[in-house]
Amino acid sequence: MVRLRTESFAPLLQLREEFDRVYKSLFRDGGGTPAGQSKASGIYPSLNIWEEADALKVEAELPGLKADDLDLTVLGSELTIQGRITPTPEGQTVHRCERPAGDFRRVVRLPIDVEGEKIVATLNNGVLLITLPKAAGAKPQKIKVNVG
Amino acid sequence: MNTDVEKNVDKHNGNADVASIEYTRGGRYYRPRVDIVEREGDLTVLADMPGVGPDDVDVQFNDGVLTILGRVADRLPADTPYLSREYGVGDYYRSFQVSDQIDAQQISAEMANGVLTLHLPKAAAARPRKIAVAAK
């Protein structure tokens, strides 16, 4: 992540001070993982995955992504999410450049069997939600117990 | 002001461990990632706020301070049993001090695909002006 310091703005300075720098400095001094070095660093997009009764849900935040620029594939137990986020057009001066942009690709191994034909995905306000219906074999089966 | 800022969390940077996300709803905000570029006479701010719709964003420019607030509706119950949880969901907040050369009346904002785009035109006096040099 590129972070420009206030001092470097020089005469073209428009943004004199950013309040949340205060937070950043507090966080840096507060121990833990240094900013910008999360364990997920370099992996994009981040995913939340949960299980519902008859489907597996995979959610990703992909702000700025258009549906046409997204490519989802499932092969066996691997889900591939790839696409491209259009970079911000360059200006004469760049004061902040934090937003991820460009090509991304992530492959995840699905923990349960899904029905590849019935996968549905929606992109709403930059949030991608993929619904992967469980294969019949992955759903719990009620076993009837006969009294002998 | 400080109070809000200290609660501000970048959800992608190190501190986004699940423990800190749990109480996001209690007034904690995520800090949207921004690009700020300057073109002739215009500052453009882009802020990533996935999950925020056009009606859920509040932008204020007051005394040279630009404040962005984005509300995110709960997408899942708090007790959702995640198999994998790599980011938290919550409201966004960030504020900047901008030079007072902005024409506050002309600021425009649009929200699309989870990205807020703000145009802050400079006040006429702050725009670059080409000065004609007369030949003698």
Side-chain angles (χ1 to χ4, degrees):
Chain A
M1 189 199 302
V2 178
R3 284 218 164 236
L4 299 176
R5 295 179 62 84
T6 313
E7 289 81 354
S8 67
F9 287 179
L12 286 170
L13 177 74
Q14 282 296 311
L15 301 153
R16 285 196 297 244
E17 187 188 343
E18 185 190 347
F19 289 163
D20 52 18
R21 268 196 323 148
V22 174
Y23 170 75
K24 199 182 166 202
S25 60
L26 282 177
F27 176 66
R28 274 218 174 128
D29 297 337
T33 317
Q37 292 182 24
S38 83
K39 58 188 172 186
S41 189
I43 298 173
Y44 189 86
S46 297
L47 300 175
N48 281 348
I49 303 175
W50 67 97
E51 192 179 346
E52 291 182 354
D54 41 16
L56 186 71
K57 300 270 191 172
V58 177
E59 189 192 73
E61 293 187 326
L62 291 157
L65 183 77
K66 298 177 185 80
D68 289 346
D69 296 332
L70 174 68
D71 189 18
L72 293 174
T73 49
V74 172
L75 181 63
S77 62
E78 277 185 353
L79 168 69
T80 303
I81 302 170
Q82 57 186 334
R84 178 178 170 77
I85 292 177
T86 312
T88 303
E90 283 184 21
Q92 288 154 335
T93 309
V94 176
H95 293 297
R96 294 285 190 290
C97 182
E98 301 169 355
R99 301 173 58 240
D103 295 318
F104 64 87
R105 181 169 192 266
R106 184 158 181 195
V107 182
V108 278
R109 185 165 287 275
L110 302 169
I112 53 174
D113 290 338
V114 299
E115 292 203 52
E117 307 287 305
K118 295 182 182 168
I119 296 170
V120 179
T122 58
L123 191 57
N124 190 16
N125 292 331
V127 179
L128 171 70
L129 177 63
I130 311 170
T131 302
L132 307 107
K134 291 179 189 174
K139 287 182 199 168
Q141 302 289 321
K142 191 124 182 139
I143 297 161
K144 196 179 176 204
V145 179
N146 295 312
V147 180
Chain B
M1 184 65 77
N2 261 356
T3 329
D4 290 336
V5 172
E6 285 162 24
K7 287 177 184 168
N8 206 342
V9 175
D10 183 328
K11 67 167 79 179
H12 301 279
N13 271 342
N15 48 345
D17 57 283
V18 172
S20 72
I21 291 160
E22 290 301 328
Y23 47 91
T24 295
R25 280 289 156 189
R28 219 163 214 264
Y29 295 96
Y30 289 104
R31 182 177 60 209
R33 288 175 166 180
V34 299
D35 286 349
I36 303 176
V37 297
E38 185 177 336
R39 289 182 206 94
E40 244 164 276
D42 201 2
L43 266 184
T44 303
V45 179
L46 283 89
D48 278 351
M49 300 198 289
V52 176
D55 298 332
D56 309 321
V57 65
D58 187 17
V59 179
Q60 287 191 25
F61 188 75
N62 200 359
D63 269 348
V65 176
L66 174 71
T67 305
I68 299 168
L69 181 65
R71 298 272 177 211
V72 176
D74 280 314
R75 298 202 281 264
L76 286 170
D79 59 352
T80 299
Y82 287 97
L83 299 173
S84 168
R85 190 177 189 191
E86 297 176 349
Y87 61 88
V89 175
D91 297 338
Y92 299 91
Y93 172 87
R94 194 161 176 178
S95 75
F96 304 91
Q97 185 161 349
V98 184
S99 95
D100 50 5
Q101 299 167 315
I102 296 297
D103 185 350
Q105 298 304 313
Q106 299 298 318
I107 294 176
S108 64
E110 60 187 74
M111 190 80 209
N113 302 318
V115 180
L116 172 71
T117 304
L118 291 173
H119 294 286
L120 296 91
K122 288 189 202 171
R127 286 174 185 272
R129 239 178 325 196
K130 191 137 183 134
I131 295 158
V133 179
K136 271 201 168 174

